[in-house]
Amino acid sequence: MLAKYKVIVVGSLGAGKSLIIDKLVNSNEQFRNEILNVSYKSHVVDNVELEYWDLDGQEHVQILSRFNYKHAKACMIVADINAPNLFENVHHWFKCVTEYTQNRQDIPIILILNKIDLCTEAEVSLVKIRKFCKLDRIIKVSAEQEIGLPAIEKELMELISCVSESESTQVSEISSSLDIAKVYDGSSRRRKFGWF
C-alpha cells in the first residue's frame, strides 16, 4: 500500500501554481473533495503518492482554509520572481501558512520562485524573504520552460521523510514514557496495598 502525503500549494493569482502542479503530475486526472470544495492531483514518486492541493481562491474563506491545511505534510508557496511586490506576496502567504498550522506541528515550507526565464529579480527582496520568513527551501523554476521542476519533488520527499522520522521518534518516546508511568503506577499501588 502506498504512503499518501498531502501537499498544500498556495500563492497569488498568476504565480503559476496550477501550471507547476500540471507539469509535476503530468496527468489530466483530477480529484475533488466536495466537502471542502477544492480539487487536487496525485503523483506517485518512489512508492509515495503526493497529493497536490491547489488552494487558489481559498484565501478569502478562512474557515475552509483551516480545514484544507489539516493533515498536510508540506506546503509550497509559489510566487512570481518578477513581481514588484515579491516580498509582500511571500510574507503574506508565509503568515497564512504559519497561522493555519499553529495548533499542530510545523510543516515544511518550500518557496517556489517561478518564471526565472523572464527573470529581472530584485535580490533585495530575496534577502528580506530569507530574513523574515522561516522557509525550509527556496527553489527557482520556470514552469513554462520546465526548468528546475525535478528539484521540487526531490526536496519535498527529503523534507517529508525528515518530518515522518521525527514524528515516529516522538511517538516512540511518548510510548516509552507511558510504559514507565505504568510501571511506576503499578509499583506505587503495590506499596500502598502491601502487594509483592
Side-chain angles (χ1 to χ4, degrees):
M1 185 174 176
L2 290 176
K4 189 180 290 187
Y5 295 127
K6 178 178 175 182
V7 180
I8 297 298
V9 186
V10 298
S12 301
L13 189 66
K17 297 186 304 299
S18 299
L19 184 57
I20 286 173
I21 293 171
D22 287 346
K23 298 279 187 178
L24 289 174
V25 174
N26 196 23
S27 166
N28 292 322
E29 190 174 17
Q30 183 167 283
F31 305 94
R32 186 161 191 83
N33 185 313
E34 294 297 344
I35 297 171
L36 300 177
N37 194 30
V38 66
S39 297
Y40 60 92
K41 289 189 173 187
S42 293
H43 185 216
V44 176
V45 186
D46 296 334
N47 295 319
V48 170
E49 184 177 353
L50 297 174
E51 283 186 356
Y52 294 101
W53 289 52
D54 184 349
L55 300 195
D56 183 34
Q58 295 293 319
E59 59 267 34
H60 303 299
V61 191
Q62 290 195 6
I63 294 174
L64 277 183
S65 290
R66 289 181 191 279
F67 277 109
N68 284 331
Y69 282 83
K70 193 173 183 181
H71 304 304
K73 288 291 184 182
C75 178
M76 289 166 40
I77 299 173
V78 179
D80 179 349
I81 197 169
N82 304 298
N85 55 345
L86 175 61
F87 170 74
E88 289 77 10
N89 284 345
V90 174
H91 193 249
H92 164 74
W93 287 108
F94 176 76
K95 285 200 316 185
C96 285
V97 172
T98 51
E99 178 188 344
Y100 294 155
T101 58
Q102 66 183 351
N103 294 323
R104 61 181 304 280
Q105 185 177 359
D106 291 338
I107 62 174
I109 304 172
I110 297 178
L111 172 61
I112 310 297
L113 294 171
N114 191 24
K115 306 186 183 182
I116 59 169
D117 53 313
L118 309 171
C119 194
T120 59
E121 70 178 271
E123 285 297 334
V124 175
S125 291
L126 292 183
V127 170
K128 283 178 72 179
I129 287 168
R130 288 189 178 98
K131 183 176 180 181
F132 292 101
C133 302
K134 187 187 171 190
L135 300 159
D136 293 281
R137 300 283 192 279
I138 298 178
I139 303 172
K140 297 178 185 179
V141 305
S142 167
E144 191 67 42
Q145 299 294 322
E146 299 189 23
I147 299 169
L149 296 180
I152 295 175
E153 289 191 330
K154 180 176 179 290
E155 297 291 350
L156 274 174
M157 294 295 290
E158 185 180 310
L159 290 168
I160 289 172
S161 159
C162 288
V163 170
S164 297
E165 284 175 16
S166 171
E167 286 174 352
S168 297
T169 303
Q170 286 175 0
V171 168
S172 175
E173 286 172 356
I174 290 169
S175 298
S176 298
S177 300
L178 289 172
D179 290 340
I180 291 167
K182 285 177 187 172
V183 169
Y184 178 77
D185 188 45
S187 63
S188 63
R189 277 201 299 268
R190 284 195 296 272
R191 283 197 303 273
K192 182 177 179 182
F193 294 104
W195 297 342
F196 295 101

